[in-house]
Amino acid sequence: MASGKESCGLDNLAFDMDVNDQQRGKDRKKKEEEDTNKPTYCVTDVPPWYLCTFLAIQHYLTAFGGIVSIPLVLSEGLCLQHDSLTQSYLINTIFFTSGLITVLQVTFGVRLPILQGGTFALVTPAMAMLSMPEWKCPAWTQNATLVNTSSPLFIEVWQTRMRTLQGSIMVASVLQILVGFSGLIGFLMRFIGPLTIAPTVSLIGLSLYDSAGDKVGSHWGISAMTTLLIILFSQYLRRIPILVPAYSKAKKLHTSKFYIFQIMPILLGISVSWLVCYLLTIYDVLPSDPAQYGHLARTDVKGDVLNKASWFTFPYPGQWGMPTVSLAGVFGMMAGIICSMAESVGDYHACARLSGAPAPPKHAISRGIGVEGLGSLLAGAFGTGNGTTSFSENVAALGITKVGSRMVILLSGVFMILIGMLGKIGAIFTTIPTPVVGGMFLIMFGVITAAGISNLQSTDMNSSRNIFVFGFSMFSALVIPNWIMKNPDFLETGVKEVDQVLRILLTTHMFIGGFLGFFLDNTIPGTKSERGLLAWNKVHLEDSSYTLTTEEVYDLPFGITSCLSSQSWVRYVPFCPWNGHRSENRSEDNQMPQGRRSEQLPHSTRVIYELAF
């Protein structure tokens, strides 16, 4: 009996040792994972100048695909398909304004390393507005042989549309400025959940299928090659480095790993396809007759746009004339701006998590949204035909490089300003063959659609309630605009302005899907867990161990916060940091139970996907 008990005791001891070893192993593994997830450089750190420069260029290349695509899509609605020189000016302008607004956002806005650029949330309502009967392009502008790009008639045709687009964006941006600087964004985000964001973002990509299809259909072979190359580089080869020579004082001359396929897959895919098109052009493999299939794949279709473009250009507000306002356009742009605001709040939290910063406080979020509104106002004034938003692709790049320094993004903004002033750069981008652009669109719009749907991962998709809300919102948003486009005379109230507003809103897929998702999600009974709100709220809390800086990182620069802290009225300004708020937040966090803390955290609104453009 004694031996039996002794044996049992030894077994228990051995079991306890095994459990302890397993626990120590788990703790060690968890610590290693935490060390891996921690950024090498945090928000306030400044990397060496050479690393700073390289990473700034990398962020520019990451945003390249999304920024260049917007003017190329808008050129169809603006009747500019056959005016490559003006397209180059639009590309220069959007790069210039994106850089300018990035500098403002990093310096005075949310103060996180987050790059600003054009937004597809405004492309959809813009194309809906430009497709209305009164704004449809004249038939002669679709024929290259009839278009004289220097004629006053043609210039007036496209500039009239651009000025209306500008004015609508500028007026709609005032909504974002007010919501941001007044602090209302926190109140609005209580009602916007995954079932609102998912259909809204997904329909941005789905609604552009026609534009992508037209470009892909100009030469299916070249488009397929471009798509396959981007897939190869971004998915299959992204973790395969190439060895490049490097030098350091410690290691002297040595080789270093450079993940080129992960950093610039779209640029590489476009470049290779572009080169193939050039070779097929000089050897006359592609047809020279504009009426024949495949002619648009030639690299000489755009003529001598590179020779005509000036070396230097300086975009300025009102360069296309005095903006005009369309009431219908304003309502359409407001729908896009609301979507953009919700996405940006999620980007702020994701960016803070990846750069080692604490969760952004209310004043930083309010300031960030307000500065984005100012950015859209500036973008409208400069004449990009678009607004600005935070770029998720660049937030994803922070997770890849582990460098969360805002100095890198600041330098990237300066770099984009300089690129926007080089006229030849914009002209080069306009010479990309049409089917190559189509292949890029297949990837980009597909990823936008999937990124929207991925927001549903925090919801209970076994719930018949959620399946109904999402499915009905998506399908209705595809059916209603399609029917309205085929029956434009149905909406006739007798008041022209009302007809225009209804036509734009009901032909904007994103607005219908987002509105139905928002209304149904907030009126049909459902628990927070079922709706995905609790899971969303916990995202930032789970990564709080990676926070390496304090909330002071969100203070205003140049000692502005120190000057304002002595003023009692500052506590009533939603976008100003105040030391009293900071101490209150700390005491609340210390006293609040763990479960309640997660409920107070704002929820993230955009999934960060690893396809680094």
Side-chain angles (χ1 to χ4, degrees), residues 2-75:
S3 61
K5 288 181 180 178
E6 189 176 324
S7 174
C8 182
L10 289 173
D11 288 343
N12 289 336
L13 179 62
F15 176 75
D16 290 340
M17 290 176 66
D18 288 342
V19 169
N20 291 335
D21 289 343
Q22 289 175 8
Q23 186 62 40
R24 279 195 294 269
K26 288 180 181 178
D27 292 342
R28 193 182 303 113
K29 187 176 180 181
K30 184 178 180 181
K31 189 176 186 305
E32 288 174 358
E33 287 178 357
E34 288 180 4
D35 292 339
T36 303
N37 286 324
K38 286 180 180 178
T40 307
Y41 293 95
C42 294
V43 181
T44 54
D45 296 336
V46 180
W49 67 268
Y50 53 87
L51 181 60
C52 221
T53 304
F54 170 76
L55 290 172
I57 295 172
Q58 173 187 290
H59 275 284
Y60 159 73
L61 295 174
T62 301
F64 158 81
I67 293 177
V68 169
S69 297
I70 290 170
L72 297 179
V73 173
L74 288 175
S75 63

Side-chain angles (χ1 to χ4, degrees), residues 391-450:
F391 258 47
S392 287
E393 299 92 325
N394 292 82
V395 175
L398 297 178
I400 295 169
T401 62
K402 305 298 179 189
V403 176
S405 170
R406 61 185 170 207
M407 183 58 68
V408 171
I409 301 297
L410 190 67
L411 189 59
S412 186
V414 173
F415 187 73
M416 285 198 292
I417 291 174
L418 296 176
I419 289 293
M421 295 169 65
L422 296 174
K424 296 290 185 184
I425 299 294
I428 288 173
F429 291 145
T430 64
T431 62
I432 302 173
T434 301
V436 175
V437 174
M440 176 181 69
F441 282 179
L442 280 181
I443 298 290
M444 292 194 63
F445 299 160
V447 170
I448 291 172
T449 302

Side-chain angles (χ1 to χ4, degrees), residues 261-340:
F261 302 115
Q262 191 176 61
I263 293 171
M264 51 185 82
I266 282 195
L267 187 63
L268 285 175
I270 288 175
S271 300
V272 173
S273 298
W274 203 347
L275 177 61
V276 171
C277 288
Y278 174 73
L279 294 175
L280 295 177
T281 300
I282 61 175
Y283 289 110
D284 281 330
V285 176
L286 295 170
S288 56
D289 183 2
Q292 288 188 333
Y293 172 80
H295 171 74
L296 292 177
R298 293 180 66 93
T299 54
D300 57 1
V301 169
K302 305 295 175 71
D304 56 348
V305 61
L306 201 56
N307 295 328
K308 289 181 179 178
S310 58
W311 275 103
F312 298 100
T313 181
F314 190 81
Y316 59 91
Q319 58 184 331
W320 317 126
M322 181 64 69
T324 58
V325 178
S326 162
L327 181 64
V330 169
F331 276 93
M333 295 303 165
M334 281 184 175
I337 277 179
I338 291 170
C339 170
S340 177

